[in-house]
Amino acid sequence: MKEQLKLAEVKDCGRIQSFLTKAGISSEGVAESIHHFVIMEDENDELLATVGFEKDGEYGLLRSLVVSPSLMRSDILLLFKSIVQLAKKNDVHQLYLVTNKASSVQFFSMMNFQQISYENLPDGLKYHSYLRNLSSLEQVYVMTYQD
């Protein structure tokens, strides 16, 4: 299988939203942030992975990470490297993520994210669409990217 990584375009919005919905992930806010998304496709233009970020000034909140089970670890690393590069190109100086899955913390740690407290998340990011969809902040893990 030959994977291709590319920046998302407006024409990709509908299929990214469908891909996220199929995975049980909220697609709210994707259209507004479409230029902050990276997608991975196979040779038939089928989505294999997506990740994006919502920007607030110099901060970015990673969101909408969905990865096909068929992808190799090296593909996932490439996806992360590309979203970090895209964030930097968009003047994001610090990238954060929030997850409600304890099992994800170790995975994200391998991608150079370090756990921090929710209180250390910049105020502007606390009101983005992804966080509004979390049912409870009690079981939330906040992480920040470390170069």
Side-chain angles (χ1 to χ4, degrees):
M1 186 179 347
K2 181 71 176 152
E3 293 84 12
Q4 177 184 339
L5 196 63
K6 70 176 206 172
L7 298 177
E9 301 175 37
V10 172
K11 67 179 182 167
D12 298 313
C13 190
R15 64 192 194 121
I16 291 172
Q17 289 170 323
S18 295
F19 189 66
L20 296 175
T21 301
K22 191 174 178 182
I25 304 290
S26 172
S27 64
E28 183 183 335
V30 169
E32 296 83 2
S33 299
I34 193 66
H35 296 292
H36 297 149
F37 272 78
V38 174
I39 59 175
M40 187 175 283
E41 304 171 317
D42 66 14
E43 63 272 5
N44 299 317
D45 296 331
E46 293 294 321
L47 280 180
L48 299 173
T50 185
V51 65
F53 65 89
E54 292 187 31
K55 185 177 178 193
D56 186 71
E58 65 183 275
Y59 305 115
L61 182 65
L62 200 64
R63 58 157 297 164
S64 306
L65 173 66
V66 175
V67 178
S68 171
S70 65
L71 286 182
M72 297 176 59
R73 183 183 226 162
S74 58
D75 295 322
I76 298 169
L77 283 170
L78 185 61
L79 186 69
F80 269 90
K81 285 181 182 179
S82 64
I83 199 65
V84 168
Q85 288 175 344
L86 181 60
K88 286 179 181 178
K89 280 176 67 173
N90 282 274
D91 297 320
V92 170
H93 297 127
Q94 194 61 53
L95 200 54
Y96 295 87
L97 69 83
V98 177
T99 182
N100 57 0
K101 296 180 177 104
S103 59
S104 298
V105 172
Q106 183 178 2
F107 169 77
F108 288 120
S109 293
M110 291 186 298
M111 301 296 159
N112 292 334
F113 282 85
Q114 179 181 16
Q115 193 170 351
I116 62 171
S117 70
Y118 180 81
E119 290 76 30
N120 290 334
L121 187 65
D123 289 337
L125 295 181
K126 292 177 182 175
Y127 303 104
H128 278 264
S129 61
Y130 174 75
L131 292 178
R132 287 194 310 261
N133 291 320
L134 291 176
S135 57
S136 168
L137 293 177
E138 290 179 20
Q139 294 289 339
V140 166
Y141 304 91
V142 179
M143 303 183 83
T144 185
Y145 183 77
Q146 303 296 311
D147 267 331

